[in-house]
Amino acid sequence: MTTRLVIVGGSDAGISAALRARELDPTSDVTVLVADAFPNYSICGLPFFLSGETPDWHDLAHRKVPDIEGHGIRLLLEHRATHVDPASHHVGVQDPAGTERFLEYDRLVIGTGAVPVLPPIEGLDLPGVHVLHTMGDSFSIREQLDRGDVRAAVIVGAGYIGVEMVDALRHRGIDVTLVEQMPSVLTTVDPELGQDIATEFARHAVHVATGTRVDRILDKDGRLHVVGSGGFEQVADLVLVVVGVRPDVDLARSAGVALGEHGAIDVNRKMETSVAGVYAAGDCVHTWSRMTQSHRYMPLGTTSHKQGRVAGENAVGGHAEYAGSVGTQVVKLFDLVAARTGLRDHEARAAGFDPLTVDATFDDHKAYYPGATKLRVRITGDRRDGRLLGAQLLGHRNAEVAKRVDVYAGALYHEMTVDAISELDLSYTPPLASPWDVVQMAAQAWERERRAAPLH
Ligand SMILES: Cc1cc2nc3c(=O)[nH]c(=O)nc-3n(C[C@H](O)[C@H](O)[C@H](O)COP(=O)(O)OP(=O)(O)OC[C@H]3O[C@@H](n4cnc5c(N)ncnc54)[C@H](O)[C@@H]3O)c2cc1C
C-alpha cells in the first residue's frame, strides 16, 4: 500500500526527510509543504550572499525545484500548514490565495524549524532593524545595502551568526559595531579564544562592546541610535539583531505533541513525537546529545539534515535511530576559523565529569615550509579516566581547522581517550602537517598536564 507522507517544511530537515523516504520507498506519495517560495535553500549561506561574495541568491539552493521534483517529490510552495488533526490524519493548508484545504496523510513529518528570538529591545520595528533567518530576511537587508547609504551598522549578539555578519558587512566596507551582553565574543567558545577573536576584530577596525545590553533603538533625524547599558550609544543606518533562535512549534502544538527541552518538540531517537504517525526533525526538535546522554536544544544545519533523514526513513517503515550529536561547529571570521566539538569545561562539570582543560599552541605545519601559522587548541578531558570530552580550536583559515576539529568529533563519537588520539594514523606532509599532527600534539600536552595535576 502506498504511504501518503506529508512533510511540513522545505529546508534542511524537511527535504532530507523527503529524499530519504523516496530513496527507500519509491512508491511513497510524498508532499512537502513550504511556507515560502524557497525550498532547500542554504540559509547558512546568507552571510555570504549579504557580503556579496555569493552575489546571486539563486546559487544558495542546495537543489533547484526541478531536481527535487525529479526525485518524485510534490512541492507545494507558499502553502502554509495551519493545523494538524491527528485523529482524522488531516493537515489544514492555506494556499497562496488564502484558501484553506485539507491534506490527508498516513505519516506526517514536522520540520518547521526555528524563529529568531526577539529580545526586549524598544524599537525593533523601526525601518533598518533586521533579523536574519529566512531568505526573505536577507532580501530586506540586501535591499537596504543595495541602496548604498549604509555607512554604519550595529550587530546585536556575538554568536556565530553575529560574527559571520561582522565579517560580511566589513567586506562591504561598512563601519561595524558588535554588541554582546556576555563578557566575550563568540560565546560558543571559551573567553580565552574570544580574546583572540576580539584582537582579530580590532585588526579589521570592528568596534566591540562586550558586557553591554542593548535596551532601545531610536530613530533620530533619519538615523538609528542604539542605546544600551553602561552609557552605550551608537549611531547606525542598519541594526541586525541576532541573539539566537527558538523552536517553531505552533503547528506541533495544534497536533497535541509533547514538548521537551527548551520548548522544542519532544522526539525520541527514531524522531517519533508523542503522537502516533507524527515525526519531527531539525530546529523545531530537541537533540540527543551523545556527550551528556540527554536531550539538549542544538539548532544546526548538520543536525537537521541527519534527523530529517532518520524521520524520512522511519516514516516509510524503516527502523533508523538518530545517533546523537557531539556538538560540532565551525565558523570563519576574517582570516581566522574557530571551531568546537563536545563539551567545554563548565558544561562537562555540569554533566558530572571531572574535566581538565589544557590550552596549547603549535604550528599548523612544519615551520620550514612557507606559510606556517599558529593553531591554538583547548582540549577538555576527564582526568579520572582520560576520556576526551571536547576540543576548541582557533587558527588561520588556511590551517585546516574544520577538518582538524572533525578528528576530535570522530574521537568523541567513539568515546576515545585523549591518549588514544596519538595512535590515530593521521596524514603528514610538511606543507600541511607535522609527523605528529597538531591534533595529536595537543592531546599529548593534555596527557602531560593530567599526569602533573592531582585528582580531586
Ligand atoms: C545566517 C545563518 C547561518 C547559519 N549557518 C550555519 C552553519 O554554518 N552551520 C550549521 O550547521 N548551521 C547553520 N545555520 C543553522 C541552520 O541553517 C539551521 O539549523 C537549519 O536551516 C534548520 O533547518 P530546518 O529544516 O530545521 O529549519 P528551517 O531552515 O528553519 O526551515 C523551516 C522550514 O519550514 C517551513 N515552515 C515553517 N512553518 C511552516 C508551516 N506552518 N507550513 C509550511 N512550511 C512551514 C519554512 O518555510 C522552512 O522551509 C545557520 C542559520 C542561519 C540563519
PDB file of all heavy atoms in Angstrom, residues 12 20 36 41 43-44 108 158 179 336 441 449:
ATOM      1  N   ASP A  12      16.386  22.179   5.515  1.00  0.00           N
ATOM      2  CA  ASP A  12      17.304  21.046   5.696  1.00  0.00           C
ATOM      3  C   ASP A  12      16.589  19.774   6.157  1.00  0.00           C
ATOM      4  O   ASP A  12      16.775  18.684   5.589  1.00  0.00           O
ATOM      5  CB  ASP A  12      18.385  21.407   6.720  1.00  0.00           C
ATOM      6  CG  ASP A  12      19.258  22.564   6.249  1.00  0.00           C
ATOM      7  OD1 ASP A  12      19.175  22.899   5.061  1.00  0.00           O
ATOM      8  OD2 ASP A  12      20.002  23.123   7.060  1.00  0.00           O
ATOM      9  N   ARG A  20      14.989  10.935   1.579  1.00  0.00           N
ATOM     10  CA  ARG A  20      15.246   9.596   2.131  1.00  0.00           C
ATOM     11  C   ARG A  20      14.028   8.695   1.959  1.00  0.00           C
ATOM     12  O   ARG A  20      14.168   7.507   1.616  1.00  0.00           O
ATOM     13  CB  ARG A  20      15.593   9.737   3.623  1.00  0.00           C
ATOM     14  CG  ARG A  20      16.021   8.450   4.277  1.00  0.00           C
ATOM     15  CD  ARG A  20      17.298   7.910   3.670  1.00  0.00           C
ATOM     16  NE  ARG A  20      17.842   6.798   4.431  1.00  0.00           N
ATOM     17  CZ  ARG A  20      18.744   5.955   3.982  1.00  0.00           C
ATOM     18  NH1 ARG A  20      19.236   6.104   2.753  1.00  0.00           N
ATOM     19  NH2 ARG A  20      19.194   4.981   4.728  1.00  0.00           N
ATOM     20  N   ASP A  36       7.283  29.387   2.409  1.00  0.00           N
ATOM     21  CA  ASP A  36       7.769  30.418   1.486  1.00  0.00           C
ATOM     22  C   ASP A  36       8.057  29.802   0.113  1.00  0.00           C
ATOM     23  O   ASP A  36       7.635  28.671  -0.161  1.00  0.00           O
ATOM     24  CB  ASP A  36       8.983  31.152   2.083  1.00  0.00           C
ATOM     25  CG  ASP A  36      10.178  30.228   2.311  1.00  0.00           C
ATOM     26  OD1 ASP A  36      10.244  29.138   1.696  1.00  0.00           O
ATOM     27  OD2 ASP A  36      11.067  30.608   3.099  1.00  0.00           O
ATOM     28  N   TYR A  41      16.917  25.872   0.329  1.00  0.00           N
ATOM     29  CA  TYR A  41      17.948  26.907   0.246  1.00  0.00           C
ATOM     30  C   TYR A  41      18.876  26.814   1.445  1.00  0.00           C
ATOM     31  O   TYR A  41      18.448  26.478   2.550  1.00  0.00           O
ATOM     32  CB  TYR A  41      17.309  28.301   0.160  1.00  0.00           C
ATOM     33  CG  TYR A  41      17.038  28.662  -1.280  1.00  0.00           C
ATOM     34  CD1 TYR A  41      15.937  28.137  -1.934  1.00  0.00           C
ATOM     35  CD2 TYR A  41      17.925  29.442  -1.989  1.00  0.00           C
ATOM     36  CE1 TYR A  41      15.704  28.415  -3.267  1.00  0.00           C
ATOM     37  CE2 TYR A  41      17.716  29.720  -3.325  1.00  0.00           C
ATOM     38  CZ  TYR A  41      16.610  29.207  -3.964  1.00  0.00           C
ATOM     39  OH  TYR A  41      16.403  29.469  -5.285  1.00  0.00           O
ATOM     40  N   ILE A  43      20.292  28.466   4.117  1.00  0.00           N
ATOM     41  CA  ILE A  43      20.287  29.729   4.860  1.00  0.00           C
ATOM     42  C   ILE A  43      21.630  29.948   5.553  1.00  0.00           C
ATOM     43  O   ILE A  43      21.975  31.059   5.918  1.00  0.00           O
ATOM     44  CB  ILE A  43      19.086  29.858   5.832  1.00  0.00           C
ATOM     45  CG1 ILE A  43      19.023  28.721   6.840  1.00  0.00           C
ATOM     46  CG2 ILE A  43      17.785  29.993   5.077  1.00  0.00           C
ATOM     47  CD1 ILE A  43      17.914  28.889   7.874  1.00  0.00           C
ATOM     48  N   CYS A  44      22.415  28.864   5.696  1.00  0.00           N
ATOM     49  CA  CYS A  44      23.776  29.004   6.237  1.00  0.00           C
ATOM     50  C   CYS A  44      24.620  29.908   5.324  1.00  0.00           C
ATOM     51  O   CYS A  44      25.643  30.455   5.743  1.00  0.00           O
ATOM     52  CB  CYS A  44      24.469  27.651   6.346  1.00  0.00           C
ATOM     53  SG  CYS A  44      23.542  26.452   7.304  1.00  0.00           S
ATOM     54  N   LEU A 108       3.190  11.889   9.013  1.00  0.00           N
ATOM     55  CA  LEU A 108       3.468  13.324   8.915  1.00  0.00           C
ATOM     56  C   LEU A 108       4.855  13.585   9.494  1.00  0.00           C
ATOM     57  O   LEU A 108       5.213  13.023  10.542  1.00  0.00           O
ATOM     58  CB  LEU A 108       2.413  14.086   9.740  1.00  0.00           C
ATOM     59  CG  LEU A 108       2.541  15.603   9.816  1.00  0.00           C
ATOM     60  CD1 LEU A 108       2.152  16.239   8.476  1.00  0.00           C
ATOM     61  CD2 LEU A 108       1.625  16.170  10.908  1.00  0.00           C
ATOM     62  N   ALA A 158      26.786  38.349  19.660  1.00  0.00           N
ATOM     63  CA  ALA A 158      28.079  37.885  19.114  1.00  0.00           C
ATOM     64  C   ALA A 158      28.160  36.371  19.093  1.00  0.00           C
ATOM     65  O   ALA A 158      29.184  35.785  19.395  1.00  0.00           O
ATOM     66  CB  ALA A 158      29.226  38.485  19.918  1.00  0.00           C
ATOM     67  N   VAL A 179      27.783  44.298  19.519  1.00  0.00           N
ATOM     68  CA  VAL A 179      27.408  44.463  20.928  1.00  0.00           C
ATOM     69  C   VAL A 179      26.999  43.110  21.498  1.00  0.00           C
ATOM     70  O   VAL A 179      26.189  42.391  20.892  1.00  0.00           O
ATOM     71  CB  VAL A 179      26.221  45.445  21.087  1.00  0.00           C
ATOM     72  CG1 VAL A 179      26.033  45.806  22.553  1.00  0.00           C
ATOM     73  CG2 VAL A 179      26.440  46.693  20.266  1.00  0.00           C
ATOM     74  N   LEU A 336      40.497  34.159  10.461  1.00  0.00           N
ATOM     75  CA  LEU A 336      40.530  33.110  11.483  1.00  0.00           C
ATOM     76  C   LEU A 336      39.386  32.123  11.301  1.00  0.00           C
ATOM     77  O   LEU A 336      38.346  32.463  10.739  1.00  0.00           O
ATOM     78  CB  LEU A 336      40.375  33.730  12.875  1.00  0.00           C
ATOM     79  CG  LEU A 336      41.549  34.487  13.481  1.00  0.00           C
ATOM     80  CD1 LEU A 336      41.196  34.923  14.897  1.00  0.00           C
ATOM     81  CD2 LEU A 336      42.796  33.605  13.517  1.00  0.00           C
ATOM     82  N   MET A 441      49.571  16.540  19.023  1.00  0.00           N
ATOM     83  CA  MET A 441      50.461  17.254  19.958  1.00  0.00           C
ATOM     84  C   MET A 441      49.634  17.866  21.082  1.00  0.00           C
ATOM     85  O   MET A 441      50.047  17.876  22.244  1.00  0.00           O
ATOM     86  CB  MET A 441      51.268  18.317  19.212  1.00  0.00           C
ATOM     87  CG  MET A 441      52.318  17.695  18.294  1.00  0.00           C
ATOM     88  SD  MET A 441      53.481  18.909  17.635  1.00  0.00           S
ATOM     89  CE  MET A 441      52.588  19.622  16.278  1.00  0.00           C
ATOM     90  N   GLU A 449      49.794  17.292  31.258  1.00  0.00           N
ATOM     91  CA  GLU A 449      49.222  18.072  32.358  1.00  0.00           C
ATOM     92  C   GLU A 449      48.385  17.188  33.277  1.00  0.00           C
ATOM     93  O   GLU A 449      48.360  17.379  34.484  1.00  0.00           O
ATOM     94  CB  GLU A 449      48.369  19.219  31.800  1.00  0.00           C
ATOM     95  CG  GLU A 449      48.108  20.248  32.857  1.00  0.00           C
ATOM     96  CD  GLU A 449      48.273  21.666  32.344  1.00  0.00           C
ATOM     97  OE1 GLU A 449      49.069  21.912  31.412  1.00  0.00           O
ATOM     98  OE2 GLU A 449      47.580  22.515  32.890  1.00  0.00           O
TER      99      GLU A 449
END
